[in-house]
Amino acid sequence: VFVGLPKSSSLTTEESVFRASGFGRVTAAGGGGNDRAYLADSAEDDIFVGNPSSSYLKSDNYFNAVRDFSFVSARASAGGYDTAQLIDSPGDDVFYGTPEFALLRNNVHQNRVAGFDRVLARSFGGEDIATFRDSSGDDIFVSSPTQSYLHDRANYFIEARRFSRVTAYASEGNDRAIARGSSGDDRFVSSPNMSFMRGDGYFN
């Protein structure tokens, strides 16, 4: 288990505990198995970037990175305007985004973020699926063949790019949805409880 804080980190194994204090840059390498990493932000504007092989959380004053961990969790709670970018694997991945947390996972790896002001999930391959859940307030969902996002204008912004299938759920508030088609032949279907638009390579 690796725990990375700004200028203070630790790595715990079955036999030993390793600690680093005051270092500006720390990298932890997993050696296989069910390795887990927990990263926490600073009071500055922090950036998290995670993919299945490596992830890092940084600001201008620190850099904590992990490689080959099967589970990585990053939490933003100390302040600043914090952003996260989640990148998929070459296979089939699942993205789940809410105002409180978001995750991108496959069968062997998961990146999870919580408390970030802006989250971007990016799909570069595979039959990837994205699901959005709204807040208790008034939310806006916008979808197109290559980009979908959910936000409430002030507190959070969640975006998914190039996912094959995107679903957004509204449970509370006066929520709105905008569906945009492609330049090709699209189909839009609407009912009181559900609407969808589909075309070549996408289903929103």
Side-chain angles (χ1 to χ4, degrees):
V1 178
F2 175 76
V3 177
L5 308 176
K7 301 297 181 70
S8 177
S9 301
S10 65
L11 178 65
T12 304
T13 70
E14 292 181 355
E15 297 84 14
S16 306
V17 178
F18 304 91
R19 302 186 187 278
S21 180
F23 286 83
R25 187 182 186 100
V26 175
T27 300
N34 187 28
D35 297 333
R36 306 173 74 83
Y38 300 90
L39 308 176
D41 71 325
S42 70
E44 304 166 351
D45 298 339
D46 302 274
I47 299 172
F48 175 79
V49 177
N51 63 56
S53 60
S54 64
S55 303
Y56 65 80
L57 181 62
K58 70 168 187 173
S59 73
D60 291 337
N61 295 309
Y62 78 97
F63 185 99
N64 286 330
V66 294
R67 296 199 309 264
D68 299 325
F69 279 73
S70 58
F71 176 85
V72 179
S73 173
R75 176 171 292 276
S77 60
Y81 188 83
D82 302 319
T83 61
Q85 183 174 174
L86 307 176
I87 302 170
D88 73 326
S89 72
D92 299 337
D93 300 271
V94 175
F95 171 71
Y96 185 79
T98 76
E100 293 80 24
F101 73 94
L103 61 89
L104 183 60
R105 63 175 175 83
N106 56 30
N107 291 332
V108 297
H109 181 271
Q110 181 180 138
N111 272 318
R112 187 184 191 277
V113 297
F116 283 78
D117 301 285
R118 190 179 186 103
V119 177
L120 167 62
R122 304 188 68 177
S123 170
F124 291 99
E127 293 296 320
D128 297 333
I129 298 172
T131 301
F132 295 85
R133 295 276 183 180
D134 69 325
S135 72
S136 59
D138 298 336
D139 304 278
I140 301 171
F141 175 68
V142 179
S143 68
S144 74
T146 59
Q147 177 190 33
S148 298
Y149 56 88
L150 180 67
H151 69 103
D152 69 348
R153 296 188 183 276
N155 299 307
Y156 77 94
F157 190 100
I158 314 166
E159 181 181 357
R161 294 183 186 174
R162 298 194 177 279
F163 280 74
S164 303
R165 188 181 184 99
V166 177
T167 304
Y169 292 93
S171 59
E172 297 181 72
N174 184 27
D175 299 332
R176 295 192 297 128
I178 300 169
R180 295 176 175 143
S182 69
S183 59
D185 298 333
D186 303 284
R187 183 186 183 196
F188 179 71
V189 176
S190 183
S191 73
N193 296 319
M194 181 190 72
S195 300
F196 69 83
M197 180 171 280
R198 68 188 308 172
D200 186 19
Y202 80 95
F203 186 103
N204 295 332

